[in-house]
Structures are given as structure tokens and as C-alpha cells.
Amino acid sequence: MAQKLHLTVEIPDEYVLITKVEYEELQKLAAKGNSWESLAWFKQETGIKHPDTLKTMILYPYRSELEKFVKYPEKKGSPWRFHKGATLDWLENNFERIARGK
């Protein structure tokens, strides 16, 4: 026969109890942020190590879509800039298309 134990745990006012799902959603929102990131960050997010591969697979084929939140270099040696939140959303929403190469 199973036994039951009932207890009360007091949570101090400076703490909030939330579900794991809510916590994970908050973590995702915090990770996205609204900052501008570098090409090194984009390489890390995609798992593609070589910049030329990134350019031929993602950055140039989808340029018309990405220009809304990716700052392409104006000249050789200028930095790439990625709006973190918008870039992550686009990568998530277009993963299948990128993987297929279309």
C-alpha cells in the first residue's frame, strides 16, 4: 500500500515558483535578446565553422530575406552584424529550407 505525505513548504516573497515549461520559455527569450552579434556568433549558432560555407549556404542565397536584420559588410574587411533575436527566429523558421539547400 502506497503511503502519502502531505507537507507545506513556505516560499519567501522574493522567489517565484513557475513550471519548467515557463522557465524554458523565459530562458529562450533571454537568449534571443535584441543585441547585435558578429560572424563568429553566427558560426557558433549554425555549427558551420568556415565563413565561406556560411556565405554560400545561407548568407548569399537568402540575402533578400536576411538584409532586414543582417548588416552585410560594405567592403572587404568590414564586419558582419546580426540582430540576435531576428536571426535566431529566422534560422528556426527556415531550418528545413536551409538543410535542403533551397
Side-chain angles (χ1 to χ4, degrees):
M1 179 174 182
Q3 296 180 2
K4 293 183 180 180
L5 174 65
H6 296 278
L7 60 113
T8 302
V9 177
E10 287 190 36
I11 300 172
D13 288 339
E14 63 267 14
Y15 292 92
V16 176
L17 186 64
I18 61 173
T19 66
K20 185 175 181 178
V21 171
E22 289 172 311
Y23 174 75
E24 289 170 351
E25 284 298 315
L26 290 171
Q27 291 291 93
K28 277 172 87 175
L29 286 172
K32 284 187 178 180
N34 285 320
S35 62
W36 287 91
E37 298 291 342
S38 66
L39 186 62
W41 169 84
F42 191 64
K43 288 181 351 186
Q44 182 180 352
E45 288 301 314
T46 59
I48 299 172
K49 297 185 186 326
H50 200 280
D52 289 341
T53 305
L54 273 176
K55 292 171 189 174
T56 58
M57 284 183 63
I58 301 173
L59 294 171
Y60 290 128
Y62 302 103
R63 183 174 183 153
S64 62
E65 296 172 45
L66 296 172
E67 282 183 319
K68 298 170 193 157
F69 47 86
V70 174
K71 183 182 179 297
Y72 284 69
E74 294 174 14
K75 60 183 179 180
K76 189 171 181 147
S78 295
W80 289 81
R81 287 295 188 216
F82 301 83
H83 183 274
K84 189 176 183 180
T87 302
L88 289 173
D89 283 342
W90 189 88
L91 286 170
E92 187 173 322
N93 293 331
N94 293 281
F95 177 80
E96 290 295 325
R97 215 166 49 136
I98 297 166
R100 286 192 318 262
K102 297 178 181 176

